[in-house]
Amino acid sequence: MKKICIKVMALLLLGSMTLNSCIVGSYSLMNKYCDWQMNMTGNKIVNGVVGIILGSIAVPVTSLVDGLVLNTIEFWTGDNPIANVGKTQKILGTDGRFYAVTTLKNGYELKSPTGEISYFLHDANTDTWSLQQNGKTIELFRFNSDGTLTTLALEGEQITVTPNEAGLYQVRMAASDGNFFTMR
C-alpha cells in the first residue's frame, strides 16, 4: 500500500511540474504539425479522420522532441531552430498596401506590392541589423557591449544612445532634425 501511495504521489508531482502553465518554449514543431493537420485538405472531416489516425503517433513524438530538444535549445540560446523560418505574412503598410514579409533564419525578407525585395538581416557576430536593398547594404543599428545602441541619424551620421525612452527621443530628434511639425 505504501509503495502505491509513493508512486501516485510521484506521478502527481511530475504532472504538477509539467502542467503548471510555466511552459518554457514555443513548441513550434507541435504547432507546425497541428497547423498542417488542420489545413491539409479543404475538408474538415478528412482532416479530423487523418488527425485521429496520425495523432496517436505524431502528437507524442512532436511533443517529446519539442519538450526535450527544441525547447531546451530555445531556452539556452534564445531562439528555436525551426520556429518561424520560411513563414510568410501579409502586412499592411502605412501607405495602405500589403507587403509580404518572410521570416529568414537571420532576419526578414520584405517584398513590396511592386515586386521590389528588401532584406532586414541580423549579423550575430557583430550583433547588428542591416538593410540590404538593390545590392547595397546599410547598417541600421548595432548593439554595443556596454548596453548602448549605435544607430544612423540624418546624413549617415552615427549616434550612440541608451535603449530607453530617452534614447528613443534622441533617435527621433536626430532622424527628424528636431522637427516634429508638418511643413508645407
Side-chain angles (χ1 to χ4, degrees):
M1 181 73 172
K2 196 171 193 175
K3 287 183 180 182
I4 293 173
C5 187
I6 292 174
K7 287 181 183 179
V8 169
M9 289 186 63
L11 285 173
L12 287 174
L13 181 62
L14 180 63
S16 69
M17 288 172 43
T18 59
L19 302 173
N20 66 0
S21 298
C22 184
I23 297 173
V24 176
S26 60
Y27 283 87
S28 59
L29 183 63
M30 177 66 185
N31 290 332
K32 284 183 185 267
Y33 165 74
C34 289
D35 288 342
W36 171 81
Q37 190 270 319
M38 290 173 56
N39 300 313
M40 70 180 145
T41 69
N43 188 332
K44 290 193 289 187
I45 295 172
V46 172
N47 292 350
V49 170
V50 172
I52 291 170
I53 295 168
L54 290 179
S56 62
I57 298 168
V59 170
V61 170
T62 57
S63 296
L64 185 67
V65 170
D66 263 332
L68 296 178
V69 179
L70 297 176
N71 288 348
T72 304
I73 292 171
E74 183 175 1
F75 176 78
W76 289 107
T77 65
D79 61 358
N80 192 307
I82 63 166
N84 288 319
V85 175
K87 185 176 180 182
T88 301
Q89 296 179 344
K90 298 247 184 230
I91 306 293
L92 181 64
T94 57
D95 59 358
R97 301 184 305 171
F98 283 97
Y99 293 81
V101 178
T102 304
T103 305
L104 306 172
K105 187 172 181 156
N106 63 336
Y108 302 95
E109 176 189 87
L110 176 71
K111 186 173 183 181
S112 72
T114 60
E116 297 173 13
I117 296 177
S118 303
Y119 296 95
F120 293 101
L121 302 174
H122 179 256
D123 183 0
N125 295 331
T126 59
D127 207 5
T128 59
W129 279 90
S130 301
L131 170 65
Q132 190 177 60
Q133 190 175 35
N134 299 328
K136 296 179 184 176
T137 302
I138 301 170
E139 181 180 303
L140 299 175
F141 60 92
R142 172 185 301 131
F143 294 97
N144 301 321
S145 59
D146 62 355
T148 60
L149 296 168
T150 301
T151 186
L152 288 178
L154 283 178
E155 299 173 9
E157 299 174 18
Q158 288 189 339
I159 60 170
T160 300
V161 298
T162 55
N164 57 18
E165 289 180 27
L168 180 61
Y169 179 75
Q170 286 177 308
V171 171
R172 283 184 179 161
M173 294 302 287
S176 65
D177 198 24
N179 294 320
F180 279 122
F181 302 103
T182 305
M183 292 187 273
R184 285 188 173 190

